[in-house]
C-alpha cells in the first residue's frame, strides 16, 4: 500500500499527458495549423524538459522548506497545470471576450492555445521531475527496482484511464455541465485528476526536512546552479552516462509515437475506413480523438499488463540477486522452480529486446491501410513502453544510491560536494551539532523522534584538485541526476521535432484534410473558422501518411538504442 501511495501522483501525471498527446495535435490542426507548424509547437515538450527538469532538480535538492524538498514543487506545479488546462479548453471563449473580429479572433485563439500548451509542459515537467525524485529519495537501494516497477504500473493506469475517457462521448454522458465539447470536458477531468493524484502522494508521504551544515550552500545563485548542472553532465559516472545515451536514442523513436500515433490512427480510419456520416461530422476533433484513444486504450492495457507481470518473470537489476529469505519449496517442485529462477531473463536483456520489438512494429507503419492493423501495431508497443517506463529509472536509481559507497570511484565526485545520509541513531547524532525537527520542537534534542524527519547533508571538504576521486553521493542528489537523465530524454525530442517538421513539409504541406474539410463553415471547437483545404482528397488518400514516415524513422533510432543497451550490458 505504501508503494501505491508513493507513486500515486503518476496516475494524474500520465492521465494529463495522455489527454495532451491524444487531443492537442488534432486540436491544433483543427484551429488551422499545418502539420509542419504543429510539429514546431511540440518543441514545448523538449524545451520544457531541457530547462525545468535539471533546474527544478538542483533547486529542490537544496530546498530547506519545512514541507520537504519535493512536495512544494509537486503541488505548485500541479496547480499551474490545472489552470492552464482550463485555459486551453476555453481558448476561443476567452479570446472572444476581448476580440470580436473573426480573423483576429482566430489568430489570437491559436496564440493562446500554443501559450497554454507551453505553460502546461513547463509546469508538468516540474511535477514529473520531483515526483520521480521523491521515489528515489524515499526508497533504499534494495527497493529501487520495485519502486520503479510500481511507478510504471501507476503510469500505465493513468494512461489507461485517460485513453478510456477519451473513447467515451462525454457530452452525451454529462451534457454541457463541464463544457460543450469532448475536448473541454477532458481538460476539466484532467485538471481534477492531477490535483487529486498529487494531493494524495503529498499527503501520504512525509519528507524529511533538509538542514545544510554549510552556509555557503544557501548563497548559490543561478550561475552556480547552471555551472553545477553543466559540470555534472560533462563528468557523469560511466554507467549513468551509458543509461543516458540509451535514453537518447530510444526517445528519438518514442517522441513521434507518443505525440502523433493517436492522430495517425484516427487519420488512417478517416482515409480508409470511416463511413460518410463520420467524415461529415461537425466535431471531427472528437471523432479522431475517440478513434485514437480507442487504439491507445488497447496499448495501455498491454502496458499495464506488462508492468504487472514483467517484474515477476524478470530478475532484479541488482547484482546481488539473492532472496531476502531462504526459499523452501515443496520437494516435488524444487527442481522446476530452481530451473525457472535460473532462466529468468535479466532486466537489461528484456530492455534490449524491447528496442527490437518497437523497431519492428514501427517499421511497418508506412504500409498500414486499415484501422485494425494500425491498432495492432500500437498495441504491440505496449510491452516496450512498459520497459521504457521502468528500466531506465530502475538502473539510474540503483546507480545513484550506489554512489554512497566509498568503494565506487566517481568521475563526477570532484565536481560537486559529496553527500551522505547521517544515521538516525541517537548515539551517533550526539557527536554532531543537533538540529531540532521544526515539526516536533517539543521533543528533546537528542530524541530520535525529533531527528527522524530531518535530512542532514554533510558536505565533505573537497576542491577540484582532490586527487582521490573518491566520495559518496546518495539519493539526496537524485534531483540533479534525474534532471540530467531528462536532458537526454528531451534533447532527442528536438531532433524528432526537426525531423517531423521536414517530413510534414515534404509529404503534407497543406492543412489537414481529415480535420479541416468544411471547417470554414464554423465546425469544431467554439465555432472557430478553419482555413480552406489545399490538397485534393483522392490524392491524399493514395499518398503516404507523413506521420507514418516519422514513425518509421523512429524505428531506425530504436535500433541505435539497442546498440547502446548492448554496450551498457558489456560494462556490467
Amino acid at each position: 500500500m505504501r508503494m501505491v501511495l508513493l507513486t500515486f501522483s503518476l496516475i494524474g501525471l500520465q492521465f494529463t499527458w495522455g489527454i495532451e498527446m491524444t487531443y492537442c495535435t488534432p486540436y491544433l490542426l483543427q484551429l488551422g495549423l499545418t502539420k509542419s507548424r504543429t510539429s514546431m509547437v511540440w518543441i514545448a515538450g523538449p524545451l520544457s524538459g531541457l530547462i525545468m527538469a535539471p533546474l527544478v532538480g538542483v533547486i529542490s535538492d537544496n530546498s530547506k522548506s519545512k514541507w520537504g524538498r519535493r512536495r512544494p514543487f509537486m503541488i505548485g506545479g500541479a496547480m499551474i497545470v490545472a489552470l492552464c488546462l482550463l485555459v486551453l479548453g476555453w481558448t476561443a471563449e476567452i479570446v472572444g471576450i476581448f476580440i470580436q473580429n473573426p480573423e483576429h479572433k482566430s489568430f489570437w485563439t491559436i496564440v493562446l492555445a500554443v501559450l497554454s500548451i507551453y505553460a502546461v509542459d513547463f509546469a508538468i515537467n516540474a511535477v514529473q521531475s520531483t515526483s520521480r525524485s521523491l521515489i528515489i529519495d524515499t526508497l533504499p537501494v534494495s527497493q529501487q527496482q520495485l519502486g520503479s516497477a510500481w511507478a510504471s504500473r501507476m503510469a500505465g493506469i493513468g494512461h489507461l484511464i485517460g485513453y478510456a475517457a477519451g473513447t467515451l462521448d462525454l457530452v452525451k454522458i454529462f451534457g454541457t455541465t463541464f463544457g460543450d465539447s469532448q475536448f473541454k470536458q477532458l481538460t476539466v477531468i484532467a485538471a481534477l485528476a492531477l490535483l487529486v493524484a498529487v494531493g494524495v502522494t503529498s499527503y501520504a508521504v512525509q519528507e524529511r526536512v533538509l538542514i545544510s551544515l554549510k552556509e555557503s550552500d544557501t548563497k548559490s545563485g543561478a550561475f552556480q546552479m547552471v555551472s553545477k548542472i553543466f559540470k555534472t553532465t560533462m563528468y557523469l559516472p560511466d554507467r549513468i552516462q551509458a543509461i543516458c545515451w540509451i535514453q537518447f536514442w530510444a526517445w528519438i523513436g518514442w517522441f513521434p509515437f507518443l505525440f502523433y500515433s493517436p492522430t495517425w490512427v484516427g487519420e488512417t480510419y478517416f482515409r480508409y475506413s470511416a463511413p460518410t456520416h463520420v467524415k461529415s461530422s461537425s466535431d471531427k476533433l472528437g471523432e479522431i480523438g475517440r478513434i485514437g484513444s480507442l487504439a491507445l486504450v488497447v496499448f495501455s492495457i498491454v502496458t499495464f499488463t506488462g508492468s504487472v507481470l514483467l517484474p515477476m518473470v524478470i530478475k532484479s537489476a541488482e547484482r546481488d540477486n539473492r532472496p531476502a529469505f531462504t526459499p523452501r519449496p515443496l520437494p516435488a517442485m524444487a527442481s522446476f522452480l530452481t530451473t525457472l529462477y535460473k532462466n529468468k531473463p535479466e532486466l537489461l536483456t528484456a530492455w534490449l529486446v524491447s528496442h527490437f520489438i518497437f523497431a519492428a512494429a514501427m517499421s511497418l507503419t508506412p504500409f498500414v491501410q486499415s484501422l485494425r492493423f494500425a491498432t495492432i501495431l500500437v498495441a504491440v508497443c505496449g510491452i516496450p513502453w512498459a520497459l521504457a517506463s521502468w528500466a531506465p529509472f530502475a538502473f539510474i536509481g540503483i546507480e545513484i544510491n550506489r554512489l554512497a559507497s566509498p568503494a565506487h570511484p566517481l568521475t563526477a565526485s570532484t565536481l560537486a560536494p559529496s553527500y551522505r545520509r547521517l544515521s538516525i541513531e541517537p548515539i551517533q547524532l550526539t557527536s554532531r551539532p543537533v538540529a531540532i525537527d521544526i515539526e516536533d520542537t517539543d521533543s528533546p534534542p537528542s530524541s530520535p523522534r525529533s531527528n527522524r524527519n530531518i535530512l542532514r547533508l554533510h558536505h565533505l571538504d573537497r576542491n577540484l584538485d582532490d586527487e582521490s576521486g573518491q566520495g559518496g553521493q546518495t539519493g539526496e542528489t537524485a534531483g540533479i541526476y534525474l534532471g540530467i537523465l531528462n536532458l537526454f530524454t528531451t534533447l532527442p525530442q528536438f531532433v524528432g521535432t526537426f525531423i517531423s517538421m521536414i517530413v510534414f513539409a515534404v509529404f503534407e504541406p497543406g492543412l489537414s484534410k481529415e480535420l479541416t474539410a468544411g471547417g470554414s463553415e464554423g465546425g469544431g471547437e467554439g465555432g472557430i473558422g478553419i482555413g480552406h483545404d489545399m490538397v485534393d482528397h483522392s490524392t491524399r488518400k493514395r499518398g503516404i501518411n507523413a506521420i507514418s514516415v516519422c514513425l518509421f524513422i523512429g524505428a531506425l533510432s530504436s535500433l541505435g538504442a539497442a546498440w547502446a543497451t548492448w554496450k551498457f550490458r558489456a560494462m556490467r
Side-chain angles (χ1 to χ4, degrees):
M1 186 61 184
R2 288 192 289 182
M3 285 291 186
V4 173
L5 294 174
L6 176 62
T7 58
F8 196 79
S9 61
L10 295 177
I11 294 180
L13 273 169
Q14 295 305 317
F15 184 98
T16 305
W17 276 122
I19 298 303
E20 183 184 36
M21 290 185 291
T22 304
Y23 276 87
C24 283
T25 294
Y27 179 57
L28 293 172
L29 294 175
Q30 189 186 49
L31 292 181
L33 289 179
T34 63
K35 284 186 177 178
S36 180
R37 291 180 179 176
T38 299
S39 68
M40 293 294 293
V41 174
W42 290 124
I43 289 179
L47 184 63
S48 60
L50 185 68
I51 296 173
M52 292 301 291
L55 188 60
V56 170
V58 172
I59 295 173
S60 64
D61 277 345
N62 296 285
S63 172
K64 294 193 288 184
S65 167
K66 68 177 182 178
W67 306 109
R69 297 189 298 164
R70 316 298 183 186
R71 290 181 298 174
F73 293 92
M74 293 169 60
I75 296 172
M79 294 175 67
I80 295 174
V81 172
L83 177 62
C84 293
L85 282 173
L86 298 179
V87 172
L88 183 61
W90 274 265
T91 49
E93 287 77 5
I94 294 173
V95 171
I97 296 174
F98 304 99
I99 301 175
Q100 303 302 322
N101 183 286
E103 183 178 348
H104 292 166
K105 178 182 177 181
S106 179
F107 171 78
W108 285 107
T109 298
I110 293 174
V111 170
L112 182 59
V114 171
L115 291 177
S116 298
I117 289 174
Y118 269 74
V120 167
D121 281 357
F122 270 80
I124 203 170
N125 263 288
V127 180
Q128 181 170 270
S129 174
T130 47
S131 295
R132 287 285 188 177
S133 296
L134 184 64
I135 296 172
I136 292 182
D137 288 349
T138 306
L139 300 177
V141 176
S142 60
Q143 294 187 1
Q144 287 295 325
Q145 177 168 326
L146 179 60
S148 187
W150 269 103
S152 178
R153 291 167 189 165
M154 294 296 109
I157 292 174
H159 271 305
L160 180 58
I161 296 174
Y163 296 142
T167 63
L168 304 174
D169 191 337
L170 298 177
V171 177
K172 286 185 179 180
I173 296 174
F174 298 113
T176 58
T177 304
F178 301 113
D180 57 5
S181 70
Q182 180 88 350
F183 184 61
K184 289 177 181 177
Q185 298 210 8
L186 283 171
T187 57
V188 174
I189 295 172
L192 293 174
L194 181 62
L195 290 173
V196 170
V198 170
V200 167
T201 294
S202 299
Y203 178 78
V205 178
Q206 185 177 12
E207 285 190 89
R208 290 167 298 163
V209 176
L210 171 63
I211 297 180
S212 178
L213 295 182
K214 290 184 70 175
E215 185 180 353
S216 60
D217 294 331
T218 63
K219 299 179 180 179
S220 59
F223 177 78
Q224 287 80 4
M225 289 183 183
V226 173
S227 177
K228 181 178 180 181
I229 293 170
F230 176 77
K231 288 180 179 179
T232 307
T233 303
M234 295 301 296
Y235 296 93
L236 286 172
D238 291 341
R239 287 192 293 272
I240 292 181
Q241 187 179 78
I243 296 168
C244 289
W245 279 112
I246 296 170
Q247 195 81 333
F248 178 88
W249 289 108
W251 267 86
I252 294 179
W254 282 115
F255 175 74
F257 177 86
L258 294 173
F259 279 91
Y260 299 128
S261 62
T263 307
W264 171 67
V265 172
E267 288 188 349
T268 300
Y269 171 70
F270 263 70
R271 289 188 181 196
Y272 303 105
S273 307
T276 305
H277 74 275
V278 173
K279 292 182 179 180
S280 60
S281 170
S282 61
D283 186 14
K284 292 184 179 180
L285 170 61
E287 294 293 341
I288 282 188
R290 277 189 287 273
I291 294 298
S293 293
L294 184 60
L296 291 178
V297 164
V298 183
F299 164 80
S300 296
I301 291 173
V302 175
T303 299
F304 178 70
T305 303
S307 66
V308 172
L309 297 181
L310 287 175
M312 300 180 184
V313 298
I314 291 177
K315 285 183 183 178
S316 169
E318 302 275 349
R319 290 176 183 169
D320 184 3
N321 287 302
R322 292 174 298 179
F325 59 91
T326 302
R328 291 186 176 87
L330 295 174
M333 300 181 61
S335 177
F336 170 76
L337 292 177
T338 301
T339 302
L340 184 64
Y341 179 79
K342 287 182 178 179
N343 291 311
K344 276 175 139 183
E346 294 182 349
L347 178 58
L348 194 56
T349 302
W351 196 15
L352 174 64
V353 172
S354 73
H355 297 312
F356 288 110
I357 295 174
F358 180 77
M362 292 298 98
S363 65
L364 298 175
T365 54
F367 311 103
V368 173
Q369 293 188 2
S370 71
L371 174 63
R372 179 177 297 178
F373 191 20
T375 303
I376 290 173
L377 291 182
V378 170
V380 166
C381 294
I383 294 297
W385 179 245
L387 284 158
S389 302
W390 169 26
F393 298 102
F395 283 116
I396 202 164
I398 290 169
E399 296 300 334
I400 290 171
N401 279 277
R402 279 179 178 163
L403 296 182
S405 171
H408 285 270
L410 301 178
T411 309
S413 63
T414 60
L415 295 173
S418 292
Y419 300 103
R420 64 185 178 87
R421 180 179 294 150
L422 299 189
S423 170
I424 62 171
E425 295 297 329
I427 188 171
Q428 295 190 24
L429 283 173
T430 55
S431 63
R432 299 188 182 275
V434 177
I436 308 299
D437 190 344
I438 59 179
E439 296 181 359
D440 190 16
T441 55
D442 294 333
S443 299
S446 61
S447 168
R449 179 169 175 257
S450 68
N451 290 279
R452 186 175 296 123
N453 298 316
I454 290 181
L455 175 64
R456 191 193 302 269
L457 299 187
H458 180 64
H459 297 239
L460 302 180
D461 294 326
R462 180 183 288 118
N463 56 45
L464 296 178
D465 298 324
D466 186 355
E467 298 177 357
S468 67
Q470 305 291 331
Q473 295 186 350
T474 71
E476 321 318 342
T477 54
I480 188 170
Y481 281 117
L482 282 179
I484 292 170
L485 178 65
N486 202 66
L487 285 178
F488 282 82
T489 303
T490 55
L491 288 174
Q493 294 179 44
F494 284 104
V495 178
T497 298
F498 181 71
I499 292 172
S500 300
M501 181 178 62
I502 295 175
V503 171
F504 292 151
V506 172
F507 289 94
E508 296 186 44
L511 303 182
S512 172
K513 176 68 180 180
E514 290 79 9
L515 281 164
T516 60
S520 58
E521 301 303 318
E525 295 294 322
I528 302 169
I530 307 299
H532 295 288
D533 180 59
M534 299 172 60
V535 184
D536 179 71
H537 181 264
S538 60
T539 302
R540 287 288 302 278
K541 184 171 181 177
R542 291 195 301 269
I544 193 170
N545 188 305
I547 295 178
S548 66
V549 177
C550 296
L551 297 175
F552 180 83
I553 295 173
L556 300 179
S557 179
S558 187
L559 295 177
W563 174 76
T565 307
W566 182 266
K567 288 185 64 178
F568 178 55
R569 185 179 183 179
M571 296 172 59
R572 294 178 62 83

